[in-house]
Amino acid sequence: MNRDRRPLYAALVANTVSIAGNSLTLIGIPWFVLETTGSATRAGVVAFCAMVPVIVASLVGGPLIDRIGRRRVSIGTDLLCGAAVGAVPLLHRAGLLEFWTLCVLMAVNGLFHAPGETARSALLPELAERAGTTVTRAASLFDGVSRGARMLGAAVGGVLIAALGAETVLAWDAATFAISAAVVAVGLRGLPAGDPVHRRARRPSYRRELVEGYAFLARSPLLLAVSGLVLVTNALDQGGSAVLLPVHAERELGGPAALGLISALWGVGAVVGAFLYGAYGTRFRRWPVFAVCALLIGLPRYATAAFSSETAPLAVVMVCSGIAGGMINPIISTVTFERVPDALRTRVLGVSRAGSMMATPLGGLAAGLLVDGVGLTAAFLAVGGIYFAVTLAPLLFPVWRGMDAGQRTAVVAEQSAQSAKAGR
């Protein structure tokens, strides 16, 4: 088959734009709440309302994505997310935005953002094959570009908030979703993997399709372990990004520009880490790399923030932790794609996403209560201590060593691809 990299590039561009916009929201909404209410608890409540629908959509949305089609879902959800986010500044300027209205709009954004990301992720193996590359390299590229988008969104968001206010950030965010939808509509047109999966007159019931995804995940101890680890770390990171770091920036680091800087530096490190793993990762066993990187992504940055009121030390740690974090996602993606059959991919990805985010809504809420209850320093130390305890799991439990099981096959496939390329 002739190589065609255009669909892969289109998906990368769409994901970049969409995630950059979501990064604007992650910075803009907490700051908007802090500006308008001054309450860390309320910022946590908004984060809670934004994340619960993500879980609901991921729990039940897999079969629906297959039936509607991954391309259509990606386009439609981006448009709906853009409308929800864009309504926030419009209603606020009109004097019609209540706190409950903001919570509802962020809930709508979360409800539709999750299926869009799942739909694009599920296309990755076909996009890699069409482009003539391996899933590991494509996953590293996908994650690296996504991390770069988060970095860009964080940096632009911090500057825009400082210069023009949080409302402007949210208006830009709405525009990014529309751009992402347009890129997918044009760039993935005619891609078979983006079409509805079931075209038969009679097809399995929705419930049966949903149960098949849960059943497969339940039979895979390694994938369950990965989901459990990410479950806790996602919740902790939600509290850190939605509450702890914005409050730290407001009280001690000098404002939103500092928040944008440290978030962007994490993104820089993560981009470097993802690309390094894509280039050299197959030379090393996955499990040791994953275990070491997991220990480096949590405690160092939260402990540094707890004991330093300066931007420079935290900036250095964020880069180093980001490099470690950038290597983790490509490993998880590759292991998942190796183990999940194509017919179940969207459903298992949706269920895994839901399982790994089940506690995420509580992260922002708990962080807000911690800050208001025991203080910012104690909150940072509590989050960092839990992070360290959880990320010891890959070193302590043998199931994690199963990450290396499919690596030999992947290496052989990569060598074959390189040989075929050299023979052209």
Side-chain angles (χ1 to χ4, degrees), residues 12 95 193 211 242 294 317 337 374:
L12 288 171
V211 169
V317 173
F337 290 136
V374 301

Side-chain angles (χ1 to χ4, degrees), residues 71-262:
R71 176 174 171 271
R72 293 175 184 172
V73 168
S74 180
I75 295 169
T77 54
D78 270 340
L79 292 176
L80 290 168
C81 288
V85 173
V88 175
L90 291 177
L91 290 175
H92 185 255
R93 291 177 185 177
L96 300 175
L97 184 66
E98 302 289 341
F99 181 69
W100 69 266
T101 311
L102 176 62
C103 291
V104 170
L105 289 172
M106 289 303 98
V108 171
N109 179 66
L111 181 66
F112 291 107
H113 187 69
E117 284 199 356
T118 300
R120 288 189 292 271
S121 297
L123 291 170
L124 190 57
E126 284 81 10
L127 294 174
E129 182 180 3
R130 196 181 185 99
T133 188
T134 63
V135 172
T136 298
R137 291 188 181 277
S140 298
L141 179 62
F142 209 76
D143 188 66
V145 171
S146 298
R147 301 280 190 171
R150 290 187 180 93
M151 171 193 69
L152 178 63
V156 171
V159 171
L160 285 178
I161 291 173
L164 303 174
E167 288 185 32
T168 301
V169 172
L170 298 177
W172 279 49
D173 188 12
T176 62
F177 283 114
I179 295 171
S180 175
V183 171
V184 171
V186 176
L188 300 186
R189 181 184 300 163
L191 183 71
D195 294 336
V197 173
H198 299 295
R199 294 183 178 275
R200 301 188 301 271
R202 297 182 62 185
R203 56 192 176 193
S205 68
Y206 192 94
R207 179 181 176 182
R208 179 179 173 183
E209 290 181 334
L210 192 62
V211 169
E212 286 175 347
Y214 283 95
F216 184 89
L217 184 63
R219 295 192 302 267
S220 177
L222 177 58
L223 295 184
L224 280 176
V226 170
S227 294
L229 178 72
V230 181
L231 164 73
V232 180
T233 57
N234 275 349
L236 297 173
D237 285 334
Q238 174 70 6
S241 63
V243 179
L244 299 185
L245 287 177
V247 173
H248 188 48
E250 182 190 39
R251 294 181 182 178
E252 300 181 18
L253 300 183
L259 176 62
L261 174 63
I262 59 177

Side-chain angles (χ1 to χ4, degrees), residues 331-356:
I331 296 175
I332 293 176
S333 296
T334 303
V335 169
T336 301
F337 290 136
E338 285 177 353
R339 282 162 174 74
V340 180
D342 293 349
L344 296 176
R345 187 188 308 145
T346 303
R347 282 169 274 171
V348 174
L349 285 177
V351 173
S352 299
R353 180 184 177 88
S356 65

Side-chain angles (χ1 to χ4, degrees), residues 13-57:
V13 170
N15 222 42
T16 299
V17 175
S18 181
I19 290 176
N22 196 49
S23 295
L24 297 180
T25 302
L26 290 175
I27 290 181
I29 288 296
W31 207 270
F32 179 81
V33 175
L34 290 172
E35 281 183 344
T36 54
T37 69
S39 170
T41 298
R42 284 202 166 193
V45 170
V46 173
F48 177 86
C49 293
M51 293 309 304
V52 168
V54 172
I55 297 171
V56 174

Side-chain angles (χ1 to χ4, degrees), residues 356-370:
S356 65
M357 300 185 74
M358 195 70 71
T360 302
L362 299 176
L365 186 62
L369 293 173
L370 272 175

